[in-house]
Amino acid sequence: MLPMHRLEGLAKLTGAERYLDDEPIPGCLWGMTVRSPVSRGRITAVKFDPAIDWSSFIVVDHRDIPGPNETYLIENDQPVLAAGCVRHVHEPVVLIAHEDRRLLRRAVAGVKVEVDPEPPVLDYRVPPRAEQVQRGSDNTIKSLRIAKGDVERALASAARVIEGEYQTGAQEHIYIEPNAMAAWVEGDVVVVRGSMQCPYYVLNALKHALGRDERRVRVIQAPTGGGFGGKEDYPSTLAMHAALLSLKAGGRPVKIVYDRDEDMAATTKRHPSRVRHTTGVDADGRLTAMKIDVLLDGGAYVTLSPVVLSRGIIHACGPYFCPNVLVEGRVVLSNSVPYGAFRGFGAPQTQFACERHMDRVAGAIGMDPVAFRKLNLLRDGQTTATGQTIGGISGGTDRVALLDRALKLGAWEERREEAAAFNLTHPYLRRGVGVSCVWHGAGFTGNGEVYLDSKVQVAGLADGRIEVRAASTEMGQGTSTVFAQIAAAAAGYDAGEIVVATPDTAVVPNSGPTVASRTVMVVGRLIEKACGELKQKLGTRGSGLGVGGLNGDSLRRAIVEWHARNPGREPAATATFEPPPGVKFDDERYVGDAYATYAWGACVAHVEVDLRTCAARVLDFASVQDIGRVINPVLAKGQVQGGVVQAIGWALLEECRFRDGAMVNNQLTNYIIPTADDVPPIEVEFVEVPYAHGGGGAKGVGELPMDGPAPAVLNAIADAMGREVGADPMTIPMTPERLMTLVEAAEGAHGV
Amino acid sequence: MKVHAPATVNEACEMLARAAAEGRTLRPLAGGTDLLVHWPSKSAAHEGEYLDLSGVSELRPLVWRDDALVLGALTTYWDVVREARVAAELPLLNAAARQVGAVQIQSRGTWAGNIANASPAADGVPVLMAYDAGVALRSSGGERVVPLSAFYTGYRASVRRPDELITAIEVPIRSRDVAVFHKVGPRRAQAITKIGVAITRLAGSGADRWRIVANSVAPTVVRCREVERLLDSGARITSAGGFMPALQADISPIDDIRSTAAYRRTVMGRLLYHSLLGACSSVV
């Protein structure tokens, strides 16, 4: 397939694209949220400033919810609006709407939520005292375990045992467009339109809380300015809020657009993590035992934490073979904003720990970090921690060759030698190189894709074009473009003759959420199947051509003729997901094929540390990834480069600072994301090992780019600082302040 | 929010005098960049009266006198970047201007606004202070010029009376043989300073030649007079730690949302040492 520009690229480039906030809605009210001032307690009163004339405002609280006061997700423990108690600062309590945004801001400030405080959990790493327990006996949201072989015996007989503890912090998504949603009532139907990744998640949440079936609720995606997981589940909350206000306002449209500071303070973030490794190796440096303890901060409600933990522990051993594994994972409740989906979904956290640890293990046994990785990388025929044999549809990738290619692309040997010479002469700059090897299972974990039961419809339009109907959303990553390419290839069309329908639950079937790197691989494959079905239908019933004989011009003609014969109707075909044969996973025991296939990657980072300030800067970055067949090279490269930038931010700069459970740097002036000047040249190459069951042969590309950069960068910092200074960074973000503390601890305070 | 729009400096001064007499706070507004950054989250806190100077063309020009560069109160960072002679004669102004925000901010934000806003993290102030700049203050009662190094009286406080308007900044042109500006932000661009230092030395011999001005390490941008005295004394400093006793007296950094006191103190010592190592080997 030829490279193709993004279909919506020009509109975005020129500013012609209209996000929800840009779009005037006649008669629209603005909605805003009154939030909890404290991290935990019982609401004793909600007081409205008597100086404000409240008769001109629409006011909603939990008593206005027609259905259960629950956010429909894995567990329905999160209220739509707090009733009786609050569990985190900024938890929504009251909603207010008014035509005048300025008056609305003042009104929100005129509502006081009075709370009798209870002892909150503000550090997830500390076991809770009795009065802090809010769930079960110890605030555990979910525990999961993977066991293979006998790890204790293997540790006891290992030549060396190396331990390490690694921590990662919360991260903000910083999608360009903050969360935004509008709701109104058409006849008896509640319609919401806004920024989102998963229209059917929003639909399900509305059905549940509003007590309506799907015929009386409709969800439409508006142009969406980035998601990264931050618009996976959170838009359900906004949609319910906007719908409640609209219903109370007699069906008038209500628009809620979060300010940046509100979005940063009140919405989900990446789960903070603490991962402990105990690793046994034999005399040759082969991994014999990996005992891993994963602890995640889940925040105040369950949301998606159990599945984030699941993906986290499955990826915790990295792309290595080890015969004896025990991974124990736990996600615990704390009184912060619920942590949620964020690109990588737990895997970046556990792979940061694993890849930093692999360098430290190699160092401890006197092995080169590359040689150590090559010795231990999974070979086809070997098994993962869940006992999945890599091979067949999950095999075919030479992971050692992939690493070699990344080393070449990242000029590993040359830069390593250069750095050694440079560091001897420069008064205060130190350079180093770091490597990482990662993997990422694409699609939902285990039997998740089967439960999703995803569907895609394609229809022939009267003019002969083909429309693709899926709930998968375009949010800047290129869904529309790649769908058009895949359908065009399947139909023998030009991509310009494919219409990709706007996700609207009244029009498109549920192709599943736009998450988990599944869109091209899983949904793309359904598009191919549906196109095949359409050809077959038209071929057998229509022009007399044989099955599958229609393609391109003949298909176009057949569609036009079909319409002529059947006025007012359309030829359409629907495809439903079927798992690849032989893929089996035991959800209870965590044994088997955790993912049908995996994407693989290797990264090389070249870093410079300024000993005056202890600031680290990435000078060059190289990434080589096997994502199956590359459908659109420009978009795929963009995904990788974007992931590298986001991961460098996570590794070095981005830190959510909390005071009493509230994020205090909820402004872009103080939450530091990389600028163009903080980002190095990023070299990207692909290894293409096609996946037989993926759209166009693709595996997932969305998340893998987030997994490798942070450990590669930290390994490079350790390389730059290690020999001379002895600092061994094991926490991110590795801010200059943190690195200076490490350096001073390693050497005692010293001048340079 | 109420906005007054004078056309002349006299009119602006009259408005300020009237407001002062009536006990109203009237805040002069130039580029508006310090105001907009808090919109809309702190819009309630910014309710009040503003004196919009954008129509006062007298405040606009950047003028070279024989002995000084005069920056009118509406001179932006970008005006200075575009003035080639600045880079040659007062290079630290150019260096600092280029590190303020992004080009959009540089082309709206003004030097006078940066002084008046009185942030300890102000990027424009250290270099002006290191060049011995003076602040021209006008009121209906007349004009006075205050040395910038005597302008601040405490955190966000200055000698400017409510009825006075900053009309210009005078930067004397004198021969200097050391000129260094180093800004440490939390990232490489578009960042608020965590630690900054401007260093100059007057050419020739004699006392009182050094100017060491630091930002983000005290309630105001500060002249580090103990460090200046140390350097003026001709002492040789052989390590970053050699500056610490003098620095301890000059700066009082705090832990805040951007950094820590310990980090700021350590880095300030290292910046001084390495800047002077690079610029002036006779000292270190």
Side-chain angles (χ1 to χ4, degrees):
Chain A
M1 284 177 210
L2 290 172
M4 180 180 149
H5 293 301
R6 276 169 65 173
L7 292 176
E8 78 294 349
L10 191 63
K12 290 202 166 136
L13 198 63
T14 57
E17 185 80 288
R18 283 186 139 180
Y19 297 92
L20 190 72
D21 194 35
D22 303 324
E23 197 148 343
I25 301 177
C28 188
L29 304 174
W30 292 98
M32 283 187 79
T33 312
V34 177
R35 300 178 178 281
S36 166
V38 299
S39 53
R40 186 186 171 205
R42 305 229 140 250
I43 298 174
T44 54
V46 178
K47 292 187 174 161
F48 292 79
D49 183 349
I52 294 172
D53 173 13
W54 292 99
S55 66
S56 69
F57 292 87
I58 305 294
V59 179
V60 160
D61 69 16
H62 67 93
R63 292 166 299 184
D64 295 297
I65 300 168
N69 182 12
E70 295 169 349
T71 303
Y72 183 83
L73 207 58
I74 294 173
E75 286 185 26
N76 299 337
D77 66 325
Q78 184 175 17
V80 180
L81 290 167
C85 64
V86 287
R87 276 221 199 133
H88 65 88
V89 182
H90 302 306
E91 183 163 356
V93 181
V94 172
L95 306 167
I96 307 178
H98 197 274
E99 293 164 340
D100 185 329
R101 228 171 173 178
R102 209 165 41 103
L103 292 179
L104 184 61
R105 277 183 213 288
R106 286 188 197 154
V108 166
V111 183
K112 290 278 166 288
V113 179
E114 293 184 355
V115 181
D116 191 5
E118 295 173 308
V121 176
L122 297 179
D123 185 343
Y124 73 104
R125 298 165 300 184
V126 180
R129 301 188 308 271
E131 64 273 23
Q132 291 173 308
V133 173
Q134 295 151 69
R135 183 184 164 92
S137 60
D138 62 354
N139 284 340
T140 297
I141 289 175
K142 182 84 177 175
S143 306
L144 290 170
R145 186 170 187 274
I146 299 172
K148 171 188 178 187
D150 186 338
V151 83
E152 294 301 341
R153 184 189 290 184
L155 283 173
S157 61
R160 285 289 300 275
V161 173
I162 297 99
E163 298 186 336
E165 180 181 294
Y166 308 88
Q167 299 195 46
T168 66
Q171 185 183 22
E172 262 298 315
H173 304 87
I174 314 290
Y175 24 69
I176 291 177
E177 181 207 19
N179 272 288
M181 196 72 65
W184 61 90
V185 180
E186 281 178 21
D188 192 30
V189 180
V190 171
V191 183
V192 305
R193 182 168 181 273
S195 189
M196 65 182 75
Q197 291 178 226
C198 312
Y200 276 88
Y201 281 8
V202 175
L203 185 86
N204 290 336
L206 287 169
K207 280 163 62 183
H208 189 73
L210 302 185
R212 290 172 165 244
D213 66 28
E214 60 269 13
R215 287 165 304 181
R216 295 167 68 219
V217 185
R218 178 178 175 190
V219 178
I220 307 165
Q221 188 215 5
T224 297
F228 308 110
K231 293 173 187 169
E232 175 167 351
D233 58 312
Y234 201 83
S236 299
T237 294
L238 261 89
M240 292 186 290
H241 289 176
L244 289 169
L245 283 166
S246 176
L247 284 168
K248 192 144 186 189
R252 269 181 83 172
V254 175
K255 201 195 255 191
I256 301 178
V257 179
Y258 281 0
D259 293 328
R260 177 66 68 183
D261 63 330
E262 181 178 27
D263 195 294
M264 292 179 77
T267 73
T268 59
K269 305 172 206 321
R270 183 184 297 284
H271 288 70
S273 76
R274 185 195 68 197
V275 180
R276 290 175 172 150
H277 275 256
T278 306
T279 303
V281 290
D282 68 14
D284 299 328
R286 281 199 174 76
L287 293 166
T288 59
M290 294 178 89
K291 187 177 173 185
I292 304 171
D293 177 80
V294 177
L295 182 69
L296 299 181
D297 185 353
Y301 294 102
V302 173
T303 65
L304 293 161
S305 290
V307 272
V308 171
L309 178 69
S310 166
R311 187 176 281 275
I313 64 163
I314 289 170
H315 289 83
C317 295
Y320 301 104
F321 172 69
C322 181
N324 302 288
V325 173
L326 178 65
V327 187
E328 291 184 299
R330 213 156 62 87
V331 56
V332 295
L333 179 146
S334 74
N335 294 98
S336 74
V337 164
Y339 292 103
F342 196 145
R343 194 179 202 172
F345 214 68
Q349 289 94 317
T350 57
Q351 293 196 80
F352 166 73
C354 182
E355 279 304 274
R356 194 66 267 283
H357 189 63
M358 289 300 112
D359 253 38
R360 294 182 62 254
V361 171
I365 61 174
M367 260 183 98
D368 175 85
V370 168
F372 176 73
R373 284 180 170 82
K374 285 183 177 176
L375 184 67
N376 287 293
L377 277 170
L378 272 164
R379 266 63 166 183
D380 276 12
Q382 290 180 326
T383 56
T384 67
T386 61
Q388 176 175 9
T389 303
I390 297 299
I393 59 170
S394 63
T397 306
D398 183 339
R399 282 161 285 277
V400 173
L402 188 147
L403 171 56
D404 273 329
R405 204 158 146 191
L407 295 171
K408 185 158 178 276
L409 187 65
W412 172 263
E413 287 298 338
E414 297 87 326
R415 287 189 174 133
R416 210 178 191 197
E417 283 168 27
E418 274 170 27
F422 178 88
N423 292 348
L424 286 176
T425 54
H426 201 282
Y428 52 79
L429 297 179
R430 295 293 176 270
R431 289 183 180 167
V433 287
V435 65
S436 67
C437 295
V438 289
W439 62 330
H440 206 97
F444 266 34
T445 305
N447 302 308
E449 290 292 342
V450 176
Y451 302 143
L452 278 177
D453 196 30
S454 302
K455 290 180 171 56
V456 167
Q457 187 184 61
V458 298
L461 304 179
D463 60 5
R465 289 181 302 164
I466 289 175
E467 181 165 281
V468 175
R469 293 168 189 162
S472 310
T473 51
E474 166 65 52
M475 50 180 152
Q477 85 283 42
T479 297
S480 308
T481 307
V482 174
F483 277 6
Q485 285 183 261
I486 290 173
Y493 275 35
D494 288 335
E497 297 171 289
I498 305 294
V499 179
V500 180
T502 296
D504 173 344
T505 57
V507 176
V508 302
N510 187 358
S511 61
T514 314
V515 303
S517 311
R518 64 185 293 280
T519 300
V520 177
M521 183 179 90
V522 176
V523 185
R525 178 77 187 122
L526 293 178
I527 293 172
E528 289 174 345
K529 282 170 70 180
C531 285
E533 302 242 340
L534 182 68
K535 285 177 170 184
Q536 196 166 350
K537 264 189 179 175
L538 291 166
T540 48
R541 292 182 199 160
S543 60
L545 284 164
V547 171
L550 295 177
N551 203 45
D553 286 342
S554 61
L555 177 60
R556 196 179 298 109
R557 268 199 311 277
I559 291 170
V560 172
E561 285 164 14
W562 196 98
H563 274 276
R565 287 197 308 277
N566 301 279
R569 295 171 56 215
E570 63 173 18
T574 299
T576 302
F577 176 80
E578 288 165 30
V583 174
K584 283 195 176 60
F585 188 69
D586 182 334
D587 295 319
E588 292 297 315
R589 292 166 51 237
Y590 267 61
V591 172
D593 302 324
Y595 301 92
T597 193
Y598 296 84
W600 311 93
C603 301
V604 173
H606 182 212
V607 165
E608 182 176 274
V609 179
D610 186 331
L611 293 179
R612 298 173 302 175
T613 60
C614 286
R617 174 189 178 197
V618 185
L619 299 173
D620 295 281
F621 197 92
S623 177
V624 176
Q625 319 222 346
D626 165 22
I627 58 164
R629 193 78 83 205
V630 175
I631 308 295
N632 187 310
V634 175
L635 287 171
K637 190 175 173 187
Q639 281 280 17
V640 177
Q641 292 182 323
V644 170
V645 173
Q646 203 158 34
I648 287 175
W650 184 48
L652 296 179
L653 304 172
E654 299 184 35
E655 180 157 39
C656 297
R657 292 173 181 270
F658 296 95
R659 197 176 298 139
D660 298 328
M663 184 175 178
V664 289
N665 59 332
N666 56 325
Q667 322 89 26
L668 287 171
T669 42
N670 290 318
Y671 181 82
I672 305 299
I673 61 171
T675 65
D677 202 28
D678 297 284
V679 173
I682 301 167
E683 302 285 344
V684 178
E685 282 184 7
F686 294 105
V687 169
E688 297 187 64
V689 179
Y691 171 52
H693 301 272
K699 305 174 187 174
V701 65
E703 295 167 288
L704 180 67
M706 186 79 210
D707 292 334
V713 167
L714 270 274
N715 286 341
I717 293 174
D719 183 51
M721 305 292 280
R723 277 161 283 189
E724 175 190 11
V725 184
D728 195 8
M730 292 156 81
T731 300
I732 55 172
M734 188 41 61
T735 58
E737 285 79 1
R738 216 168 252 140
L739 186 55
M740 185 174 284
T741 305
L742 279 183
V743 169
E744 287 176 352
E747 278 211 336
H750 68 110
V752 291
Chain B
M1 182 183 283
K2 194 169 175 187
V3 180
H4 303 260
T8 64
V9 170
N10 281 342
E11 202 182 334
C13 290
E14 282 165 23
M15 288 173 172
L16 284 171
R18 202 176 313 129
E22 293 168 6
R24 292 181 287 118
T25 302
L26 181 55
R27 298 184 68 185
L29 183 67
T33 53
D34 283 308
L35 188 66
L36 192 67
V37 75
H38 296 301
W39 191 92
S41 60
K42 293 188 185 169
S43 52
H46 288 301
E47 283 291 332
E49 292 189 51
Y50 291 89
L51 187 69
D52 174 12
L53 301 174
S54 60
V56 185
S57 54
E58 299 159 72
L59 296 176
R60 208 159 283 283
L62 170 162
V63 177
W64 292 94
R65 291 199 319 237
D66 286 349
D67 60 337
L69 168 66
V70 181
L71 305 174
L74 289 176
T75 305
T76 65
Y77 301 106
W78 195 244
D79 291 335
V80 164
V81 170
R82 281 173 36 166
E83 182 78 9
R85 203 176 147 191
V86 172
E89 299 197 30
L90 297 160
L92 298 191
L93 295 188
N94 190 56
R98 284 201 173 272
Q99 292 184 57
V100 175
V103 172
Q104 293 93 326
I105 298 292
Q106 290 166 17
S107 62
R108 278 207 70 84
T110 64
W111 297 85
N114 199 227
I115 291 173
N117 187 52
S119 163
D123 280 321
V125 175
V127 291
L128 289 171
M129 211 182 272
Y131 280 139
D132 292 330
V135 183
L137 292 166
R138 180 93 67 86
S139 68
S140 300
E143 189 180 70
R144 59 176 178 146
V145 176
V146 179
L148 183 53
S149 57
F151 184 76
Y152 296 113
T153 55
Y155 179 67
R156 299 259 178 194
S158 74
V159 300
R160 184 182 79 83
R161 300 191 311 264
D163 68 329
E164 284 180 313
L165 181 71
I166 298 176
T167 52
I169 304 154
E170 299 179 5
V171 191
I173 301 167
R174 301 165 73 180
S175 175
R176 293 176 174 90
D177 57 11
V178 174
V180 178
F181 173 66
H182 197 121
K183 166 175 171 167
V184 177
R187 65 183 160 209
R188 293 172 58 80
Q190 300 207 47
I192 296 175
T193 300
K194 293 201 293 192
I195 305 107
V197 63
I199 303 171
T200 63
R201 185 174 70 176
L202 290 169
S205 57
D208 194 25
R209 293 167 60 205
W210 286 95
R211 298 288 179 273
I212 307 289
V213 187
N215 61 343
S216 295
V217 290
T220 68
V221 177
V222 286
R223 283 262 308 262
C224 298
R225 294 187 189 268
E226 288 303 318
V227 175
E228 290 176 4
R229 256 191 282 279
L230 180 69
L231 293 170
D232 279 325
S233 75
R236 285 190 84 85
I237 316 296
T238 56
S239 73
F243 285 106
M244 294 320 282
L247 264 182
Q248 297 286 17
D250 287 327
I251 66 175
S252 49
I254 57 168
D255 291 347
D256 67 9
I257 200 168
R258 295 186 195 107
S259 193
T260 64
Y263 179 84
R264 288 172 155 132
R265 204 172 278 121
T266 303
V267 172
M268 184 58 75
R270 293 178 184 178
L271 288 184
L272 283 177
Y273 178 71
H274 285 282
S275 296
L276 295 176
L277 197 64
C280 180
S281 57
S282 68
V283 178
V284 294

